[in-house]
């Protein structure tokens, strides 16, 4: 497994301090984020999952704790929209250039507006997908917010 991905390259170029953590990815896991947290020995609320969605038909990226679900109403509100829905996996892969289970908010093929669950900013360090299945980057969530030019908002149901 390569530890250099578009995500890690973007973080390095942005001068963000991070560490890379590989784990055994289970393609059959019911919830990939929770499987990652368990494999890393971390609390699920510190391992953030990256989801691709649409707000009023426009693509957005959403980063939330792996043990929580996104509120579509709160997601739409975070981007000033009326409605939100999850993106189809094939569309998410085409838009980001990453495979489902390895989608990172960093270094996507097409930059889209991104929102991070505001509660995650209270953690000193979080894990976010590093652009490959079985690869996470550990970093300050505030640095992630800045590197992504993201908004922090209440997003969880």
């Amino acid at each position: 497994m390569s530890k250099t991905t578009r995500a890690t390259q973007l973080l390095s170029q942005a001068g963000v301090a991070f560490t890379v953590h590989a784990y055994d990815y289970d393609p059959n896991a019911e919830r990939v984020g929770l499987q990652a947290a368990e494999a890393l020995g971390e609390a699920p609320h510190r391992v953030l999952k990256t989801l691709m969605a649409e707000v009023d038909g426009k693509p957005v990226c959403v980063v939330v704790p792996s043990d929580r679900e996104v509120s579509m109403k709160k997601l739409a509100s975070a981007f000033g929209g009326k409605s939100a829905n999850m993106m189809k996996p094939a569309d998410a892969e085409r838009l980001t250039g990453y495979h489902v289970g390895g989608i990172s908010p960093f270094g996507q093929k097409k930059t889209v507006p991104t929102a991070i669950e505001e509660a995650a900013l209270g953690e000193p360090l979080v894990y976010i997908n590093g652009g490959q299945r079985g690869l996470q980057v550990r970093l300050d969530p505030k640095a992630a917010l800045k590197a992504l030019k993201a908004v922090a908002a209440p997003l969880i149901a």
Side-chain angles (χ1 to χ4, degrees):
M1 172 189 310
S2 172
K3 295 205 173 154
T4 301
T5 64
R6 287 193 322 272
T8 59
Q9 289 172 331
L10 181 138
L11 289 168
S12 293
Q13 289 166 356
V16 175
F18 67 95
T19 54
V20 176
H21 302 265
Y23 67 95
D24 290 328
Y25 173 80
D26 179 359
N28 300 314
E30 194 173 312
R31 295 177 69 185
V32 174
L34 292 179
Q35 189 259 326
E38 187 176 321
L40 293 165
E42 274 294 334
H45 69 275
R46 280 200 286 275
V47 178
L48 309 182
K49 60 186 173 184
T50 304
L51 304 170
M52 299 305 293
E54 294 174 337
V55 172
D56 295 344
K58 294 185 172 71
V60 298
C61 180
V62 190
V63 182
V64 297
S66 62
D67 59 345
R68 303 301 298 269
E69 296 299 319
V70 175
S71 160
M72 291 299 137
K73 188 174 182 179
K74 289 179 182 177
L75 175 59
S77 176
F79 290 107
K82 291 183 179 9
S83 67
N85 59 281
M86 296 308 298
M87 192 179 285
K88 290 184 176 98
D91 293 341
E93 289 184 344
R94 195 169 32 258
L95 183 74
T96 64
Y98 293 123
H99 294 291
V100 169
I103 293 178
S104 176
F106 308 108
Q108 293 184 359
K109 273 193 339 192
K110 183 172 192 262
T111 303
V112 300
T114 302
I116 297 177
E117 167 54 43
E118 66 183 8
L121 299 179
E123 295 296 324
L125 294 169
V126 295
Y127 291 81
I128 299 177
N129 193 287
Q132 194 170 304
R133 293 172 177 161
L135 191 72
Q136 297 277 322
V137 290
R138 184 172 161 223
L139 71 169
D140 178 332
K142 292 176 189 77
L145 185 78
K146 186 176 176 188
L148 292 165
K149 298 178 179 70
V151 297
L155 300 167
I156 51 182

